[in-house]
Amino acid sequence: MRKLFTEIGARIGRMVDFFYPPFRHLVPQQMFRYAVCGGANVLWDWLLFYLMVNYVFHQQVVRVGGWAFEAHTAALAVSFPVSTLTGFLLQKYVTFTASDLHGRVQLVRYLVVVGFNLLLNYAGLKLFIEVCGFWDTPSKMLVTCLCTLVSYLCQKHFTFRVRGKGI
């Protein structure tokens, strides 16, 4: 399976790199790959979130056993794990391919960063939707943008670091 992911990652990397030359004076190649892969994954996450809120949960309270969740919270519970998996695979096999850490270590570290981002996402959605009264999907977009820089730094210097470099 690793060989398949490596080959697919290499192909995606070549496609992303095709568009890199105009940006080479602005950002390093790794940051460009992170932006493209992360951006594609964010769009995927937003699409899943939108579909869940509007077409699966129909903007209604979702009841599971004795628990009740707002549609945006239930949508986050569905979209976040899916985009987490696709994000890990893209970052591991396309962006941070030089990391010499074992895949298990990378995955655990990635999940730690994701857990932190999940808390930021949850708190941000609660703040923007329930306190400030913003709409669901734009709130999700705003929260995602706020988490992006923190996520990049954590992934580069912690999750996918090269031994001897980073934190």
Side-chain angles (χ1 to χ4, degrees), residues 20-37:
Y20 177 64
F23 300 95
R24 91 180 114 194
H25 299 294
L26 300 172
V27 296
Q29 184 179 26
Q30 184 182 60
M31 187 177 282
F32 182 77
R33 282 183 168 200
Y34 180 84
V36 172
C37 291

Side-chain angles (χ1 to χ4, degrees), residues 1 4 15 28 30 41 51 60-61 67 71 81-82 92 96 107 113 118 120 123 130 134 138-139 157:
M1 193 63 119
L4 176 64
M15 288 187 320
Q30 184 182 60
N41 200 56
L51 294 172
Q60 303 295 312
V61 172
W67 297 77
V82 173
K92 177 176 177 51
F96 299 107
L107 180 59
V113 173
L118 179 59
L120 289 176
E130 296 179 16
F134 295 165
S139 293
H157 297 292

Side-chain angles (χ1 to χ4, degrees), residues 34-108:
Y34 180 84
V36 172
C37 291
N41 200 56
V42 164
L43 291 174
W44 169 236
D45 182 52
W46 289 347
L47 176 65
L48 286 173
F49 182 83
Y50 175 81
L51 294 172
M52 293 292 122
V53 166
N54 294 294
Y55 295 103
V56 175
F57 303 125
H58 303 287
Q59 299 268 347
Q60 303 295 312
V61 172
V62 178
R63 300 193 187 284
V64 179
W67 297 77
F69 301 96
E70 297 292 330
H72 59 270
T73 303
L76 179 63
V78 172
S79 66
F80 201 82
V82 173
S83 64
T84 296
L85 177 61
T86 57
F88 175 75
L89 293 173
L90 285 169
Q91 298 310 334
K92 177 176 177 51
Y93 291 102
V94 179
T95 303
F96 299 107
T97 58
S99 177
D100 53 0
L101 297 175
H102 291 289
R104 292 181 308 274
V105 172
Q106 291 173 338
L107 180 59
V108 169

